[in-house]
Amino acid sequence: MASDTQGNRPLSEEELQELVASSDAGARDPAGTIGVFLAIVAVVWSVFQVVLASPLSNVLLPGSVVNNSRQIHLAFAIFLAFMAYPALKSSPRNYIPIQDWIMAILGTFIALYGYIFYQKIVDSGGLADNTDKWFALVGLILLFEAARRALGPAMAIIATIFLAYVFFGSSEWVPDVIRWKGATLKKAMSHMWITSEGVFGIALGVSTKFVFLFVLFGALLDKAGAGNYFIKMAFGALGHLKGGPAKAAVVGSAATGLISGSSIANVVTTGTFTIPLMKRVGFTSEQAGSVEVASSVNGQIMPPVMGAAAFLMVEYVGISYVEVITHAFLPAAISYVALVYIVHLEAVKRNMPTLGNRVVSMGRTIGGMALFFAGFAGLCYGVQFPVKWVTALMPDGSGLVLSVLVCMAYIGLLWLAAGVEDLVPDDPNAKEVELPVVAEIYKAGLHYLLPIIVLVYFLMIEQKSPGLSAFWATALLFVILLTQKPLKALFRGQSNMVTTFMEGVHDLWQGLIDGARNMIGIALATATAGVIVGTVTLTGVGQVMADLVEFLSGGNLILMLVMVGLLSLVLGMGLPTTANYIVVSSLMAGVVVELGAQSGLIVPLIAVHLFVFYFGIMADVTPPVGLASFAAAAVSGGDAIRTGFTAFFYSLRTVALPFVFIFNTDLLLIDVGWVGGIIVAISAGIAILVFTAGTMGYFVTRSRIYESVALILIAFALFRPDFFMNRIAPPYVQIEPAELTQALDTAAEGGELRMLITGPDFDTGATKDTTVVMTVGPEQGGQARLDAFGLLLIEEDGVVKLDEPMFGTPVSSSLESFDFYADDPVRIASVQAPSSQPPKELIFIPALLLLALVAFVQRARAGRESEPEGEPA
């Protein structure tokens, strides 16, 4: 691939499909009986996962299968990995060598080891014996080899390093700062393979329960034709604008990114059409590739799937799925808005031509798109009311009635689709580019929105589990794939219904295969990442990472966050989104929480996880390993390294946003009401556009340096109004620690007091600080509130000391790292109580006035520059 991109030769369609296959679904495709056998195995895996997610899983599957579904999930993935992915570039593609069969069968057996010998393991207390440990070790080796083939060497190397640390972390040649006591082979293998702490931990459980169904949903939706429909709609709406192909690339990639777990597949799927058209209107090969990379990688931060990380966050953060996507939505949405603005500014700066001969109003286009999304959101929300009416009228038969209503809606939309021609992919290299007209094509795919509405309804309104929600949406897609072609033929008066039905069966069969093959890498990634998570829980290396970052940052909060971001970037290199998130969150999330608390910054856990996730996925963009950038360069024929650096520049807002929402959690809509949420959305939308204009050096016209600086400052004020307001009117007042009880006595219920606790660290003995937030409870009296929180105060010589809190009290987990029995006491260093402060939104007024001034100055200058020479101004 590198040689092709260096030679500035775009890859052919066949080479691009091989690139996606080798990175996402396996490059080997044996023909004949073996090919049919592997297809059947893939379909069986997909069907098993659909049945497992169904409401009838406990009826259709034995209890032992349901309880050990993680082992079965991994067994399918390991078997198909050795079948689909060759060991080396020189390995055969058209048949499977005998050694791969041996490894596949052995790997499958060992993956099922806990299922087959379940009773034996239970009888031994869930611990490995001398036989188990050797099987587990061979299983890990085979897992690492399967991961190397499916995901590249990065994942296997990182996991191997962590496993080596488990065994050799006690050696003298290991630096003292990261040395630990070590573990025996039996203990390590028991932890990694036999228990649910390692390979078969939370991550693989999420992959089994939720992720497969969403990946399958995406594969079936694409096979039905939705991917092409979304791209055509994006080009129909935006293709005629200045820089239109780039804007359409952003919107099209956003639509496919919603349901895709792979930024590489997204780049190639949409990029084969968008990149040639972007080059056609004046973007360089590197810029065209970079726009596609930035928009495809952005798809990984966009709810509802977020590259499968959303489901992992539910488990790791301990909040509901609805809360996760609510918190993640606004930063992702404004990031896409900024990307559209970036390509608009590039087009305006270069005065790029438009495609086609239609004149389209920018305002009407934006208004139309906003109306569509608002209407779609309103439809998803409004569905609940007829559902409630039907349920109230017929509580026993409501399921059947609602199914009939959905089928009627589907048939009606399909009748509309039959009235227009089927959509076929366009040729971006055609001499004359005829961009589609939205008014003529929108009917062709309205029925593709039905499964999405069903998915959103069950997730957001009914608040069912992600697995069950995806099951119902996938079940509807089964119906669509089997019936859309014969029903269209019927509505069009054609007689080829049997042929078209068989085409639908083939599409469904192929969709089931694609879903399974796309899951191989994700299942192996979550299983291999389980080794890293297991190492963290077994060795406590997470604390070592915190000590290392604290030492290197010198305790400076901003520097600490920058270092965590860089470490997340490095740890994420070469990893798919899911594995990327597991690795960076396991190692770095705790670091931000602990060091932030020491610096007085109390950050909600979801903000921390999103922070490390954003930086982790930037590894797909950033050289030298940016896989999405290499894929885009393969499509465009541009230089891969330059494409990566340009894409990183276009992604600056994705780098800046995590710093914003760490300090201003309003951006994540945490504890923000409807009115506050609307204000935050508007101000953040303006801020991201102003930040984009500042970094791109163009607003109304080309900006001067001081204007760019002013724009970035305005964006900062809109994103962080609290930064300025806190300096005008401090948000807290200092209280003497000895007066804590009295302060609690007079505090209003729900108020917060912040306490700075200082004392010796339990592990090192060094003095450390941490900030604890105390939320005032409903108890009456200051002492009662202290007791409820778990604080035991001892006042001596004007110093308020702390005794060790009782286990299980609200404060116990925050203070568990202190040594309460050392010579130096643990004490309250200071207490802060909230003070009255003007609304921070007042800062918006001077910021917007300064923005208006910059716009006025630039508009005047643009007017002078546009006047013909020799004429008076």
Side-chain angles (χ1 to χ4, degrees):
M1 182 172 67
S3 62
D4 287 326
T5 55
Q6 287 167 0
N8 292 330
R9 180 182 72 83
L11 299 190
S12 66
E13 180 64 27
E14 292 76 16
E15 290 171 317
L16 288 171
Q17 291 310 315
E18 184 180 344
L19 169 65
V20 175
S22 60
S23 63
D24 278 352
R28 191 183 276 149
D29 192 16
T33 308
I34 300 301
V36 173
F37 169 70
L38 294 182
I40 291 172
V41 172
V43 170
V44 168
W45 188 16
S46 290
V47 172
F48 166 73
Q49 294 287 165
V50 171
V51 173
L52 184 67
S54 75
L56 300 175
S57 58
N58 291 324
V59 177
L60 299 173
L61 297 173
S64 59
V65 170
V66 175
N67 293 335
N68 292 281
S69 55
R70 297 180 188 183
Q71 283 87 342
I72 297 169
H73 183 76
L74 182 59
F76 273 113
I78 287 182
F79 181 81
L80 289 173
F82 284 110
M83 296 290 99
Y85 291 90
L88 303 166
K89 286 186 177 179
S90 57
S91 299
R93 299 289 196 272
N94 56 349
Y95 72 93
I96 301 167
I98 186 66
Q99 65 269 21
D100 284 3
W101 280 102
I102 294 170
M103 286 189 282
I105 293 169
L106 184 59
T108 303
F109 170 74
I110 299 177
L112 294 170
Y113 190 84
Y115 174 53
I116 296 169
F117 299 104
Y118 178 77
Q119 195 57 49
K120 168 179 173 288
I121 292 169
V122 169
D123 293 342
S124 64
L127 301 174
D129 59 22
N130 287 324
T131 305
D132 299 336
K133 70 181 182 184
W134 294 111
F135 274 104
L137 182 61
V138 174
L140 281 177
I141 293 169
L142 290 172
L143 173 63
F144 289 178
E145 168 58 13
R148 182 195 67 80
R149 294 184 181 201
L151 307 168
M155 188 83 218
I157 290 171
I158 293 173
T160 303
I161 291 170
F162 274 81
L163 193 61
Y165 175 67
V166 170
F167 294 126
F168 304 112
S170 59
S171 303
E172 291 183 1
W173 47 268
V174 175
D176 288 342
V177 69
I178 62 170
R179 191 180 300 169
W180 84 295
K181 62 183 180 180
T184 62
L185 179 64
K186 185 188 292 187
K187 182 179 180 181
M189 291 302 101
S190 179
H191 193 82
M192 296 297 178
W193 198 270
I194 304 302
T195 71
S196 59
E197 294 289 330
V199 169
F200 298 100
I202 289 174
L204 188 64
V206 170
S207 176
T208 306
K209 287 193 296 182
F210 306 142
V211 178
F212 193 107
L213 262 291
F214 277 85
V215 170
L216 179 61
F217 175 78
L220 292 174
L221 195 59
D222 186 60
K223 187 57 65 177
N228 183 45
Y229 176 71
F230 291 154
I231 292 172
K232 278 186 172 290
M233 286 290 286
F235 267 87
L238 299 167
H240 301 277
L241 301 175
K242 196 176 283 274
K247 292 169 183 169
V250 174
V251 175
S253 293
T256 53
L258 294 178
I259 55 173
S260 168
S262 168
S263 51
I264 297 169
N266 199 341
V267 164
V268 174
T269 303
T270 56
T272 48
F273 182 66
T274 61
I275 288 175
L277 289 178
M278 281 191 266
K279 291 168 67 177
R280 202 166 197 172
V281 296
F283 285 90
T284 66
S285 297
E286 287 77 19
Q287 285 176 325
S290 299
V291 170
E292 187 57 53
V293 169
S295 49
S296 295
V297 171
N298 238 60
Q300 306 303 291
I301 65 174
M302 191 72 180
V305 179
M306 296 169 63
F311 314 116
L312 289 160
M313 285 181 191
V314 171
E315 302 293 333
Y316 288 161
V317 181
I319 60 178
S320 72
Y321 173 79
V322 173
E323 288 178 288
V324 168
I325 60 176
T326 300
H327 298 324
F329 174 74
L330 184 56
I334 64 173
S335 188
Y336 262 120
V337 168
L339 191 53
V340 172
Y341 192 44
I342 284 172
V343 297
H344 173 71
L345 292 178
E346 284 283 12
V348 172
K349 279 199 293 186
R350 294 163 174 264
N351 197 24
M352 292 180 180
T354 56
L355 283 176
N357 53 12
R358 273 195 294 131
V359 177
V360 181
S361 161
M362 178 79 164
R364 286 183 61 187
T365 299
I366 294 174
M369 291 183 67
L371 191 63
F372 169 78
F373 285 115
F376 183 69
L379 183 61
C380 291
Y381 181 77
V383 164
Q384 61 181 309
F385 299 110
V387 170
K388 286 178 181 176
W389 297 333
V390 171
T391 306
L393 287 171
M394 291 170 284
D396 296 328
S398 59
L400 180 62
V401 173
L402 291 172
S403 299
V404 171
L405 291 175
V406 170
C407 288
M408 289 173 63
Y410 165 60
I411 292 170
L413 293 174
L414 205 59
W415 178 77
L416 285 176
V420 297
E421 291 184 9
D422 291 337
L423 302 180
V424 294
D426 293 319
D427 179 10
N429 299 307
K431 191 171 183 181
E432 292 292 331
V433 177
E434 281 292 328
L435 293 178
V437 180
V438 171
E440 296 173 0
I441 66 165
Y442 77 96
K443 295 178 183 177
L446 285 176
H447 58 289
Y448 298 137
L449 300 180
L450 267 181
I452 301 174
I453 292 172
V454 168
L455 179 66
V456 172
Y457 170 76
F458 276 105
L459 281 175
M460 303 297 292
I461 309 300
E462 291 285 336
Q463 297 197 12
K464 301 292 186 185
S465 75
L468 185 61
S469 304
F471 166 78
W472 289 116
T474 303
L476 180 54
L477 271 173
F478 276 33
V479 174
I480 290 174
L481 278 161
L482 288 173
T483 62
Q484 66 171 346
K485 289 184 178 178
L487 285 176
K488 278 184 186 177
L490 177 66
F491 291 142
R492 289 167 178 167
Q494 299 169 350
S495 58
N496 58 340
M497 288 187 63
V498 175
T499 306
T500 52
F501 176 75
M502 292 311 297
E503 288 176 5
V505 171
H506 179 267
D507 288 343
L508 177 59
W509 178 267
Q510 195 60 49
L512 292 170
I513 294 171
D514 290 348
R517 291 190 73 153
N518 291 343
M519 264 307 296
I520 297 171
I522 295 175
L524 293 175
T526 52
T528 310
V531 174
I532 297 165
V533 176
T535 301
V536 173
T537 58
L538 182 62
T539 66
V541 71
Q543 181 59 45
V544 173
M545 296 296 291
D547 294 340
L548 177 64
V549 171
E550 184 179 22
F551 171 75
L552 293 175
S553 65
N556 182 283
L557 185 60
I558 298 295
L559 194 56
M560 179 268 289
L561 289 171
V562 170
M563 292 203 59
V564 168
L566 290 173
L567 282 169
S568 300
L569 191 63
V570 171
L571 288 168
M573 284 184 175
L575 304 184
T577 304
T578 314
N580 185 325
Y581 168 66
I582 297 167
V583 172
V584 297
S585 63
S586 301
L587 290 172
M588 305 312 303
V591 175
V592 178
V593 171
E594 181 175 339
L595 298 184
Q598 289 181 24
S599 303
L601 178 69
I602 306 299
V603 189
L605 198 53
I606 182 65
V608 176
H609 278 256
L610 286 171
F611 180 89
V612 296
F613 177 56
Y614 269 52
F615 276 98
I617 63 164
M618 285 304 295
D620 261 359
V621 176
T622 315
V625 187
L627 299 178
S629 296
F630 275 92
V635 178
S636 70
D639 180 82
I641 301 297
R642 273 190 296 179
T643 299
F645 280 118
T646 307
F648 182 80
F649 177 71
Y650 286 166
S651 302
L652 276 178
R653 79 246 175 270
T654 311
V655 176
L657 281 172
F659 287 97
V660 174
F661 60 62
I662 280 284
F663 290 99
N664 181 13
T665 55
D666 288 357
L667 196 61
L668 301 180
L669 303 180
I670 295 176
D671 297 328
V672 174
W674 277 102
V675 175
I678 292 170
I679 293 172
V680 169
I682 294 171
S683 62
I686 297 171
I688 200 72
L689 294 175
V690 174
F691 175 79
T692 300
T695 53
M696 293 293 291
Y698 197 100
F699 185 35
V700 178
T701 185
R702 289 187 186 276
S703 299
R704 290 174 180 162
I705 297 239
Y706 61 85
E707 291 171 337
S708 293
V709 172
L711 289 171
I712 293 172
L713 181 64
I714 293 165
F716 180 75
L718 293 172
F719 272 134
R720 288 283 320 277
D722 56 307
F723 178 84
F724 297 98
M725 185 56 75
N726 290 349
R727 277 143 186 82
I728 298 169
Y732 294 99
V733 293
Q734 292 289 340
I735 295 174
E736 288 297 322
E739 298 174 6
L740 175 60
T741 307
Q742 294 93 314
L744 281 171
D745 192 33
T746 57
E749 182 182 340
E752 290 183 345
L753 273 70
R754 296 164 66 96
M755 296 177 294
L756 179 66
I757 312 294
T758 186
D761 184 89
F762 186 81
D763 294 319
T764 65
T767 300
K768 58 177 279 188
D769 299 331
T770 193
T771 301
V772 175
V773 174
M774 186 175 182
T775 303
V776 179
E779 299 81 13
Q780 297 299 314
Q783 188 59 49
R785 287 170 170 176
L786 269 179
D787 295 340
F789 200 63
L791 285 175
L792 302 173
L793 307 186
I794 306 167
E795 189 174 347
E796 292 181 358
D797 304 325
V799 176
V800 179
K801 302 176 184 178
L802 290 179
D803 203 353
E804 184 172 17
M806 294 292 290
F807 180 76
T809 55
V811 78
S812 61
S813 59
S814 303
L815 302 181
E816 63 185 1
S817 60
F818 285 100
D819 186 354
F820 288 89
Y821 303 99
D823 294 334
D824 293 328
V826 179
R827 60 189 179 86
I828 300 178
S830 67
V831 179
Q832 293 180 322
S835 67
S836 59
Q837 187 186 50
K840 62 185 178 183
E841 288 78 13
L842 291 175
I843 299 297
F844 293 161
I845 297 172
L848 293 174
L849 288 173
L850 181 57
L851 178 63
L853 177 62
V854 174
F856 175 77
V857 170
Q858 288 206 356
R859 189 176 295 279
R861 188 167 72 247
R864 289 195 302 271
E865 290 170 352
S866 64
E867 288 175 1
E869 291 185 18
E871 290 188 14

